[in-house]
Structures are given as C-alpha cells and as structure tokens.
C-alpha cells in the first residue's frame, strides 16, 4: 500500500546550519509529494510540493526534489533560522483525495 | 489564503462523556472534509472522509458509532467522540480540499488535543 517513511526527530540545529530531513515513499502509480509544516499552535500548512518525477518544489528557502529512482523527497534548506522551528511532515497523494503522512520531524533551531 | 478553523484546540473531558470537535472552512466551500488522528510519534492516520449531505466514509478499524461525523453544510463538519475513554486521548486534525484551476490543495485545521481523564 501507499506509505511515507520520514526521518525521526527531533532535530536540533544552530542558526545558519544546513538542514536535511529525509523522506522516502512507497506508492503504486505516480503520486504527488508534499512537505507540510506545523508551527506551534497552528494547523498544517503546505510548504512545497512536486507532482511528477524530477520536479523540484521550493518555498521560503526550502527545497525538495521528487526522485522516482530512489523514491525519495528529501527536504533541504541551506541556512536555517530560529523561525523555522516547527514540525515538518512529508506526505503523498496517490491520486485520491486524502493524503498519507510521515510521522513528522520536529526541528528546533537555536540562536 | 484559504483557512480551515478547528475548535476547540484543547479539551479535557471525563471518561464516559462525549466531546464535539468542529471543523469549518472559512472562505471556501468544502463538499469533502477529512478527519485524521495522530498518536504520539506516529503518522497522521486518516479516520474518515466527511461528505456534505451524506454519510461519512470510515477507514477500516475506525468505529463509526464511536466517532460520529456530521457534515451538515458546505463549510462545517463535526466529529463527536462518544463515551470517551483514556485510549481516545489523541491529537485530532481536520482538512478540507479546495478545488483550484487544475489543482486541488488540502488545508488543515489547527488540530484538537483531546485528553480523557
């Protein structure tokens, strides 16, 4: 079945450090892939997405490339800020309406 | 942008009582809403799909008589946890899809932390 495996946290980084959060997926067909972010006290917000192989989603300095050959969609940012502290969820949409989520990774950025 | 509002954000209730959680789409109509549940250190798991004007569709293993879903209007879905027990303590979150031009985006509520004591 469809599933997402996400790097477990928590992750603690110093400001301006490089961030990678790994995400791999299992799906039949050609799913769309997403990264959602949840800031403290708020709902999940779409951070970026990619709908087909080799697409790169980007937003707010974050990037992720849809790699079909490795079934991966790793999230990266070159220089994190304290304001990036949040929980990050990788998700896939296999073509139906609902989403399959990873477990979430809590990121804490310290000054 | 589109906003989905979920209320309450936190609730503590006694074992055996019922709790209602509301999910509203504030600036768009949602014929379908989704209810998820998250256990500690686990993924968000889809519980049910809420359909406006018809019965909800429950995922396997989710008790429909325990988790009552009502989607009475195009902007409101409610989840009622009936006769709550401590094992129902969890984080519940709703989402609604907004149809765009050739694209569909999911918007999420803030989530509800339910603690049953």
């Amino acid at each position: 079945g469809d599933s997402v495996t996400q790097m477990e946290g928590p992750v603690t980084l110093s400001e301006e450090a490089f961030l990678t959060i790994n995400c791999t997926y299992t799906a039949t067909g050609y799913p769309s892939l997403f990264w959602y972010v949840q800031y403290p006290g708020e709902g999940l917000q779409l951070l970026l997405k990619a709908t087909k192989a080799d697409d790169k989603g980007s937003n707010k300095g974050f990037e992720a490339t849809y790699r079909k050959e490795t079934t991966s969609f790793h999230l990266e940012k070159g220089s994190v800020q304290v304001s990036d502290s949040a929980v990050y969820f990788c998700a896939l949409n296999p073509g139906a309406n609902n989403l399959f989520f990873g477990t979430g990774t809590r990121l804490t950025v310290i000054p | 942008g589109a906003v989905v509002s979920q209320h309450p954000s936190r609730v503590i209730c006694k074992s055996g009582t019922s709790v209602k959680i509301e999910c509203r789409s504030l600036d768009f109509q949602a014929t379908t809403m989704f209810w998820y549940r998250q256990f500690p250190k686990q993924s968000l798991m889809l519980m049910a799909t809420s359909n406006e004007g018809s019965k909800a569709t429950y995922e396997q293993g989710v008790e429909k008589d325990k988790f009552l879903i009502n989607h009475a209007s195009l902007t409101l879905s409610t989840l009622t946890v009936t006769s709550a027990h401590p094992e129902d303590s969890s984080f519940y979150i709703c989402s609604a899809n907004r149809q765009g031009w050739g694209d569909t985006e999911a918007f999420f509520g803030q989530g509800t932390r339910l603690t049953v004591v």
Side-chain angles (χ1 to χ4, degrees):
Chain A
D2 301 310
S3 67
V4 174
T5 301
Q6 184 176 342
M7 178 174 116
E8 284 192 28
V11 174
T12 302
L13 294 174
S14 297
E15 207 165 21
E16 299 183 3
F18 185 86
L19 169 71
T20 299
I21 301 178
N22 290 338
C23 172
T24 57
Y25 68 91
T26 302
T28 54
Y30 304 95
S32 295
L33 301 173
F34 306 83
W35 276 100
Y36 283 86
V37 57
Q38 185 175 31
Y39 298 104
E42 299 183 19
L44 276 71
Q45 303 173 25
L46 179 63
L47 179 60
L48 53 85
K49 67 179 182 182
T51 57
K52 61 183 187 297
D54 299 327
D55 267 4
K56 177 186 283 188
S58 61
N59 185 25
K60 299 181 180 180
F62 291 89
E63 292 183 341
T65 301
Y66 189 142
R67 302 277 188 207
K68 195 169 189 303
E69 64 276 13
T70 55
T71 61
S72 66
F73 193 55
H74 304 321
L75 182 68
E76 296 182 337
K77 185 173 186 180
S79 176
V80 294
Q81 305 300 312
V82 173
S83 57
D84 294 326
S85 297
V87 181
Y88 292 83
F89 292 89
C90 185
L92 75 82
N93 181 340
N97 276 323
N98 61 297
L99 294 165
F100 292 86
F101 288 90
T103 53
T105 302
R106 182 175 298 280
L107 169 67
T108 301
V109 181
I110 55 178
Chain B
V3 176
V4 171
S5 177
Q6 187 173 340
H7 178 80
S9 58
R10 291 181 182 272
V11 58
I12 300 173
C13 70
K14 290 185 177 181
S15 190
T17 62
S18 295
V19 174
K20 180 186 284 188
I21 303 170
E22 293 187 347
C23 181
R24 295 181 185 273
S25 57
L26 297 185
D27 57 359
F28 67 101
Q29 293 181 336
T31 55
T32 304
M33 292 185 176
F34 304 90
W35 288 97
Y36 294 85
R37 178 176 180 178
Q38 185 179 31
F39 293 98
K41 298 186 179 182
Q42 295 188 32
S43 303
L44 279 78
M45 301 299 294
L46 180 66
M47 297 175 64
T49 302
S50 171
N51 304 298
E52 187 268 335
S54 64
K55 291 182 178 180
T57 304
Y58 290 82
E59 296 300 301
Q60 191 172 10
V62 178
E63 298 177 60
K64 62 181 181 181
D65 294 331
K66 177 146 189 76
F67 299 99
L68 299 179
I69 291 173
N70 184 278
H71 194 154
S73 77
L74 287 171
T75 59
L76 174 65
S77 175
T78 60
L79 169 68
T80 301
V81 183
T82 62
S83 186
H85 288 93
E87 57 265 29
D88 298 325
S89 298
S90 192
F91 184 71
Y92 296 86
I93 193 164
C94 69
S95 77
N97 287 355
R98 186 181 71 175
Q99 297 287 132
W101 291 104
D103 194 12
T104 300
E105 186 173 345
F107 293 90
F108 289 83
Q110 302 93 321
T112 299
R113 173 76 57 193
L114 170 64
T115 304
V116 184
V117 298

